[in-house]
Amino acid sequence: MRWSSSILCLLSGLLVSAQDAPQVFTQASNDSLLWGAYRPNVYFGLRSRLPTSLTTALMWSRAEHYETMANTFRYTCEQHSGIKGYGWDVYDPRTGGVQTIRDQENGIDLETSFVKFDEGRGGWGARIKGTVRDDAQPGSGSQNGVKEQLKTMLLFTVGVEGERSVSKVVDTEAANDNGFKGDVTIEGQGESMGPFRITITEPESNSHPVHNHPSYQAKPLDRTYVHSMMMPQEALWQGKALAFRSMKATIDQYGEEYTENTMPPPWQTYTISHEPGAGNVHLIQKSYDGDFQFDVFFTPSTQGIQPTSKDLTKAIQKVTEDFNAKYAAVLAPQAPFTGKQYLPFSKALFSNLIGGIGYFHGEHLVDRSYAPEYEEENEAFHFATAEARARNQQKVEGPYTLYTSVPSRPFFPRGFLWDEGFHLLPILDFDPEVAMQIVSSWFEGLMDEDGWIPREVILGQEAASKVPAEFQVQYPHYANPPTLFMVLEALLDKAKYGSGENALDQGLLKAWLERLYPLLQRNYEWYRETQYGDLKGYDRGEIRSRKEGYRWRGRTPQHILTSGLDDYPRAQPPHPGELHTDLLSWIGMMTRALRRVASFLGQSDDAEKYGKTLEAIKRNVDDLHWDQGNRTYCDVTVDDFEESIHVCHKGYISLFPFLTGLMGPEHKHLGAMLDLIADENELWSPFGIRSLSKSDELYGTEENYWRSPVWMNINYLVLENLLRIAEISGPHAPRATRMYTALRQNLVSTVYRGWEKTGFAWEQYNPESGEGQRTQHFTGWTSLVVKMMAMPETPVVGRAGGRHDEL
Ligand code: 6A9
């Protein structure tokens, strides 16, 4: 009996891999996350979290100008395309959301809604609703009454991924060339999905373009045109190219019959060829005069009942109401941000962050040559590294899968490791399990045997299409700040202190962490083994640990992209003896998080071990990096006389021991940190904390990316740590309280003003003017402003909660 059960244990131990380990999340929880707007790269793209899925997208353009159509045709999210803001006003990954797109150039506002029926098991519905804008300019087809006559053409695409998937249009009323008069229905069966049905339907109230051109009879535009085609898998995501290809056939046909002057109007010329049938891509085209609306339903065939447009109307209302109620319970802005303008702002930023979650699947490029030059051992290492990289030794790896949020839908629609830790902080307030699934995806889906996780994750051709070739290759010895460990700490806090809507079940967290724990440890060891610093020069007795000092690999004279603070000034020239303040601090944070996880799981030996390392790190932060003359923390390098010296550029780097929570309220250098932050000639600006001191000689120079602008991720860490110091009694609590209150006000006003003025959140903010700059529609860590608003107006000394007990 004992013998056979231990054999069983052994067998199951062998068979169970991390991927199919016992389910931590319930089936219902997974079902409700199956479908989503998981293609953040396009304005409205739905798919499932299955590697081969049904995928959809929307394209549209005003159709009254031959010349500009190619430019005003929308598909992938782009910057500066005449759109005055777009994004989710409401989005819950489990139920659905509502997005508004203010397309000024096309004269139309679109509302795209997406809702799941029966928590996802009953399929989903999507509604596309167009309203002519008040500022729409008359076009060639609408001299009078632009409101009624503005012509919009739209294409909804349905792709069915997988070599063995099948789908076809059910040809009910379209036996001839003249399009569908009524609903369009597609039936199919996906490789990894059961049989399904798609129905596209619209109310009678829509109005369609008419024209008395002689060719009109051949193309009645009150019809829906459908072009089904069979395409190679890698072409399925290329909706715009497929649509243009199909329209070209029509244009060529007219080209023969008519001259430039006698051509049919553009809204008729730009029609796809009507070829409904079997295929793996179906383009569905509709044309409208003025306002319009149509619905799309996806229904698993196991589902007897097909929801109606009325059901959809109700469901959209319910999704919105439920979202609002939940939002108010978990992320409601606190005073002084209780004015009615702040709530929609907060919801929109949050909805775009959480609505930017994507599902990515495919291959990527990794250079695993382990070329000797990558050792970075001698003083000219960066020349050798550059040469080795230029030899292009990358290979395709994968396919991998990543479930993640993205920094920016138009510009960076892919995963970034250290951004993600920041994204998940607000997300875990709303739905901790979603955050946990994302963390799992990074560790279980991407990490290699050595414990490496790529910094930037570009899976598949759709993701790669937005990255220049030279930026695509990932290197297995390059790191990025381990911010996912901040998420672990936040989850532990939530399980300990959360209640009501803010609760997280301890049992669930435990089961999940048990499964993740070996992977977390592997990742941690990878950082320590690959990014170690050379402490030989410190063998002078006063350094109690000779291990805890670290150096980012992968630097060039101008950049340490791996640190995330790309062009922040560092030692010149680069030297293999450098020690980086930020990296030691990050590893301190990581060690603390692991120690907390270990004690939570009852692994007391591990907890003790991590506790000792943490102490050594805290000591070395001060022993190695504190510069008494400058009263700040500094990087270290080795000079011409082989002496270790400090390299001091005051700014975010100097604050890292504070930002990562390594300094308690009594810390001897805390006062100096607060001085630096509060000084207007150094870091304090009316718009937030500057990345580099105004007094640094390199302030605002060269690319000026991390050399003066205000970044919200780091500002969030400043704010959070000020709050912590303010709430634990200590010598600096009163001052930290004042700084917290002022900084919170400054940061929220800055992001709010930019959003009000431009309709967008921005990648960073100008420290002189407060203007948003660089990437537009940067809905990643700038969305942390929703957490800033939800933080208390006044710190309460002695308040329990958060990581206070860790200081
Ligand atoms: C290169 C450019 C047309 C830079 O938010 C993502 C990252 C941050 O992780 C990092 O800290 N951003 C910050 O310094 C954007 C990085 C984009 C790199 C892509 C290709 C496209 O050129």
Side-chain angles (χ1 to χ4, degrees), residues 597-740:
V597 171
S599 4
F600 184 67
L601 297 180
Q603 303 278 355
S604 43
D605 291 353
D606 285 359
E608 200 187 314
K609 178 181 81 183
Y610 294 129
K612 282 189 181 140
T613 308
L614 179 58
E615 283 318 305
I617 289 177
K618 284 184 178 173
R619 279 199 305 267
N620 274 9
V621 161
D622 289 327
D623 288 353
L624 296 173
H625 292 285
W626 178 255
D627 187 285
Q628 191 52 43
N630 286 294
R631 288 188 72 235
T632 198
Y633 292 102
C634 302
D635 283 350
V636 174
T637 193
V638 175
D639 68 9
D640 293 344
F641 309 101
E642 293 297 309
E643 285 288 324
S644 286
I645 52 164
H646 281 139
V647 179
C648 299
H649 293 282
K650 291 182 183 173
Y652 289 168
I653 293 291
S654 340
L655 300 180
F656 261 89
F658 174 68
L659 301 178
T660 47
L662 299 179
M663 298 172 77
E666 311 279 346
H667 194 286
K668 59 182 185 250
H669 301 317
L670 185 57
M673 289 288 101
L674 300 185
D675 288 345
L676 176 60
I677 295 169
D679 189 339
E680 290 177 22
N681 292 317
E682 308 248 38
L683 301 190
W684 189 272
S685 91
F687 311 106
I689 304 307
R690 301 182 174 97
S691 36
L692 192 62
S693 163
K694 206 173 175 177
S695 309
D696 192 275
E697 55 181 1
L698 297 177
Y699 182 78
T701 56
E702 298 184 45
E703 281 164 51
N704 191 19
Y705 198 30
W706 290 86
R707 291 187 176 194
S708 77
V710 174
W711 292 79
M712 289 301 151
N713 60 334
I714 301 292
N715 271 281
Y716 173 75
L717 295 180
V718 176
L719 197 63
E720 196 203 25
N721 283 289
L722 285 174
L723 177 62
R724 227 170 254 152
I725 298 299
E727 293 198 328
I728 311 173
S729 43
H732 302 285
R735 186 169 179 213
T737 300
R738 291 193 300 275
M739 289 170 67
Y740 165 82

Side-chain angles (χ1 to χ4, degrees), residues 5 131 188 244 366 396 411 488 553 555 558 595 657 665 692 757:
S5 69
T131 311
F244 276 37
V366 182
V396 171
F411 218 51
L488 300 178
R553 298 305 191 268
R555 78 160 286 188
Q558 292 312 315
R595 193 193 50 150
L692 192 62
K757 189 171 153 197

Side-chain angles (χ1 to χ4, degrees), residues 685-689 710 712 715 743 746-747 750 753 765-771:
S685 91
F687 311 106
I689 304 307
V710 174
M712 289 301 151
N715 271 281
L743 180 60
N746 290 349
L747 295 169
T750 301
R753 270 201 305 269
Y765 292 85
N766 187 298
E768 317 301 331
S769 66
E771 302 271 318

Side-chain angles (χ1 to χ4, degrees), residues 436 491-492 495 504-514 600:
M436 288 155 75
L491 289 167
L492 287 165
L504 168 58
D505 181 66
Q506 298 224 0
L508 176 80
L509 183 63
K510 205 163 248 153
W512 178 70
L513 284 171
E514 297 269 3
F600 184 67

Side-chain angles (χ1 to χ4, degrees), residues 23 29 154 213 219 245 335 401 438 559 634 652 695 702 778:
Q23 279 288 339
S29 171
L154 300 101
H213 189 274
K219 291 272 175 198
R245 214 172 98 144
T401 293
I438 289 176
H559 295 112
C634 302
Y652 289 168
S695 309
E702 298 184 45
F778 191 94

Side-chain angles (χ1 to χ4, degrees), residues 229-251:
M229 33 189 143
M230 197 66 205
M231 284 287 149
Q233 294 296 310
E234 60 274 17
L236 293 194
W237 68 271
Q238 301 188 41
K240 183 169 175 175
L242 297 177
F244 276 37
R245 214 172 98 144
S246 180
M247 284 190 270
K248 191 164 178 302
T250 313
I251 295 165

Side-chain angles (χ1 to χ4, degrees), residues 407 412 414 416 418-419 456 468 471 564 566 705-706 763 778 781:
F412 311 126
R414 54 186 178 274
F416 284 85
W418 90 298
D419 295 61
E456 187 174 344
F471 291 106
D566 304 6
Y705 198 30
W706 290 86
E763 185 179 17
F778 191 94
W781 58 42

